Amino acid sequence: HFDMPAALDERGSWGNPESVDWFVNFAKVMYENYGDRVKYWLTINEQNMLTLVGPVIGTLHLPEGCTNEIKEIYQQNHHMLVAQAKAMALCHEMIPGAKIGPAPNISLVYPASCKPEDVLAAQNYNAIRNWLYLDMAVYGVYNNLVWAYLEEHDACPTFAPGDAEALKNGHPDFIGFNYYNTATCEASDGTETMDPGADQQTARGEADSIVDLKILIYQLLNLDGKLIQWDSGQQSVKCTHVIVCQ
């Protein structure tokens, strides 16, 4: 459920600005053919997983010669956000009475203690893991903590003409949470090691994910930690060693 058609992957996938129009046209065809029967619609399933763990799930396509992977990843994410907003607006226009919204993968992060650095770590992790996608869906603007991170890494996405207006005009009727687990985290001490067995729901334990570019691409983005225990009954995951982004 993450796949872009192979023919469009060959044309640059979500890295191609035309991908916004591809998706909106696809939505239009769906509304025309099924709008008389389908009244509840989802846009992009778990968009944050495409952005945070693209290589793990096989969805990231980087252009040849890419020198700033973080910027490219978040430019692709921006195209998805704009496409989603336009698809929601089009749904309301074409199918009066229909309801539509995104379905992000949400995992609330709790600080491991009441220490200020752990609270900051959890706040930053939540911003990039969750709030970027929720704030954009509801308010149509980028979360301020995430935007500060992107500015710090020269990774702010380029807005095409009309993008800001489109984001503001894409109002969801609901948000479908894919909620697998929670997490706890603490500030990094720089001694983390990678867990090769982790997936998009668990943490790998990356060291200094703020400065190591590759870490961003292979985990729940940057503010993640080392898997300590997994309780399948309670659907909870405990993570430690999360970098604090000042």
Side-chain angles (χ1 to χ4, degrees):
H1 50 235
F2 296 116
D3 292 341
M4 173 76 80
L8 298 182
D9 273 340
E10 294 175 359
R11 294 172 58 184
S13 195
W14 285 110
N16 187 333
E18 294 179 3
S19 60
V20 175
D21 293 332
W22 300 340
F23 187 80
V24 174
N25 184 63
F26 170 72
K28 180 175 181 291
V29 171
M30 293 296 102
Y31 301 154
E32 288 174 340
N33 286 274
Y34 299 103
D36 60 333
R37 286 157 287 167
V38 178
K39 302 302 179 183
Y40 289 87
W41 298 81
L42 294 172
T43 53
I44 299 175
N45 181 67
E46 296 191 355
Q47 179 182 332
N48 50 340
M49 293 297 100
L50 277 75
T51 301
L52 302 175
V53 290
V56 174
I57 59 178
T59 58
L60 178 64
H61 294 267
L62 296 174
E64 185 176 353
C66 176
T67 58
N68 186 338
E69 295 182 6
I70 300 178
K71 183 174 179 63
E72 175 62 27
I73 288 169
Y74 277 89
Q75 187 64 56
Q76 294 186 20
N77 182 67
H78 179 78
H79 293 156
M80 283 186 267
L81 291 170
V82 175
Q84 170 180 271
K86 288 186 174 183
M88 290 191 294
L90 184 63
C91 179
H92 293 138
E93 176 185 329
M94 293 183 62
I95 319 175
K99 298 185 184 299
I100 188 170
N105 180 310
I106 299 301
S107 176
L108 186 62
V109 183
Y110 298 92
S113 76
C114 60
K115 295 178 182 178
E117 57 267 34
D118 291 349
V119 174
L120 282 173
Q123 183 181 40
N124 289 322
Y125 188 177
N126 270 315
I128 290 180
R129 177 67 172 75
N130 303 311
W131 292 117
L132 163 60
Y133 307 92
L134 298 175
D135 284 356
M136 185 58 76
V138 176
Y139 302 115
V141 296
Y142 277 87
N143 176 275
N144 63 319
L145 291 177
V146 176
W147 193 259
Y149 167 79
L150 296 175
E151 287 182 326
E152 182 180 347
H153 290 80
D154 188 28
C156 294
T158 299
F159 277 59
D163 280 3
E165 294 78 9
L167 292 170
K168 280 284 190 178
N169 292 328
H171 304 296
D173 299 292
F174 62 89
I175 298 178
F177 280 26
N178 293 338
Y179 200 103
Y180 291 88
N181 53 265
T182 57
T184 61
C185 65
E186 65 185 14
S188 172
D189 64 3
T191 63
E192 297 81 2
T193 57
M194 296 288 285
D195 175 6
D199 60 18
Q200 72 263 34
Q201 300 303 339
T202 59
R204 294 168 63 93
E206 294 79 353
D208 198 357
S209 52
I210 290 298
V211 298
D212 187 342
L213 186 61
K214 294 300 182 183
I215 288 170
L216 168 70
I217 300 172
Y218 288 106
Q219 183 33 44
L220 302 176
L221 195 73
N222 65 328
L223 306 179
D224 209 343
K226 179 182 178 182
L227 178 65
I228 299 301
Q229 67 183 42
W230 169 256
D231 185 337
S232 59
Q234 296 181 359
Q235 290 291 288
S236 63
V237 60
K238 179 178 176 62
C239 307
T240 64
H241 304 312
V242 177
I243 194 73
V244 175
C245 178
Q246 299 292 348

